[in-house]
Amino acid sequence: MHRTVRHALLAGLLVLTACTAAAAEPAGSSDPLVGYWRAPAGDDSGRSSIVELFVRDGHLFGRIVRTEAADGSVLHPVCERCSEPLKGQPMQGMEFVRDLRKDGDAWVDGRVVDLRPGWTQGLTGICELRLVDGDHAELLGYRGLRAFGETSTWTREPAPAPSASAE
């Protein structure tokens, strides 16, 4: 009797766990924004970054995978003007887009750290991210009024190939 009840409880727990995992995973992995994107630096330098967008705990996040010069060479910038704990940290691997929540076809009310060189580097603003078409997305970042924000258009990228050397 105990063995049958134990097996039934264990089977029920396994089914519940599998259903919960299956219900939680597709929301993030099936979202068209999840994946890799090329984000321009927003200046005339021709620099850009490869950004990975991913869902964690129902919120959208973005981290820098690689930063490139106009000629495609890999750069290794650090955030000089960021406040602690990001100050002086390498931008590669940095989560600079955080906590966007799903609202219809867009992700809204997130936070973005301005990583562009200059006096605005390190400032945090509110952001929204939406798919324009299958290969383009727009990130709107602003402080204060949305109407005075800046929009950056990102282009879909294939997943980067693993590198034999640490970049």
Side-chain angles (χ1 to χ4, degrees):
M1 174 78 173
H2 284 315
R3 185 178 219 179
T4 305
V5 171
R6 234 186 356 220
H7 284 147
L9 287 174
L10 182 58
L13 183 59
L14 288 173
V15 168
L16 180 61
T17 302
C19 290
T20 303
E25 185 60 29
S29 62
S30 68
D31 192 282
L33 282 171
V34 170
Y36 295 90
W37 297 86
R38 180 170 299 274
D43 56 21
D44 295 330
S45 68
R47 286 177 298 121
S48 61
S49 292
I50 305 299
V51 175
E52 179 187 14
L53 294 177
F54 58 95
V55 175
R56 181 173 63 220
D57 298 328
H59 288 86
L60 188 70
F61 291 79
R63 75 175 135 241
I64 295 178
V65 175
R66 180 176 62 240
T67 301
E68 299 175 353
D71 66 4
S73 61
V74 177
L75 301 173
H76 302 281
V78 297
C79 196
E80 296 295 334
R81 297 182 63 108
C82 287
S83 57
E84 295 296 337
L86 299 178
K87 184 173 183 64
Q89 295 298 310
M91 289 185 198
Q92 183 176 341
M94 188 178 287
E95 285 185 10
F96 74 107
V97 175
R98 300 184 305 265
D99 292 324
L100 286 114
R101 68 174 175 77
K102 186 78 167 164
D103 184 16
D105 292 336
W107 290 85
V108 299
D109 295 333
R111 299 292 174 259
V112 62
V113 178
D114 188 344
L115 296 177
R116 298 173 297 181
W119 69 273
T120 61
Q121 186 182 57
L123 293 178
T124 301
I126 300 169
C127 66
E128 299 175 6
L129 195 58
R130 67 186 71 245
L131 196 63
V132 175
D133 59 41
D135 291 325
H136 298 92
E138 288 182 342
L139 174 81
L140 169 65
Y142 60 96
R143 291 175 54 88
L145 296 176
R146 187 178 185 278
F148 296 115
E150 288 185 47
T151 299
S152 175
T153 301
W154 295 3
T155 306
R156 188 175 300 280
E157 285 280 314
S163 174
S165 63
E167 293 185 340

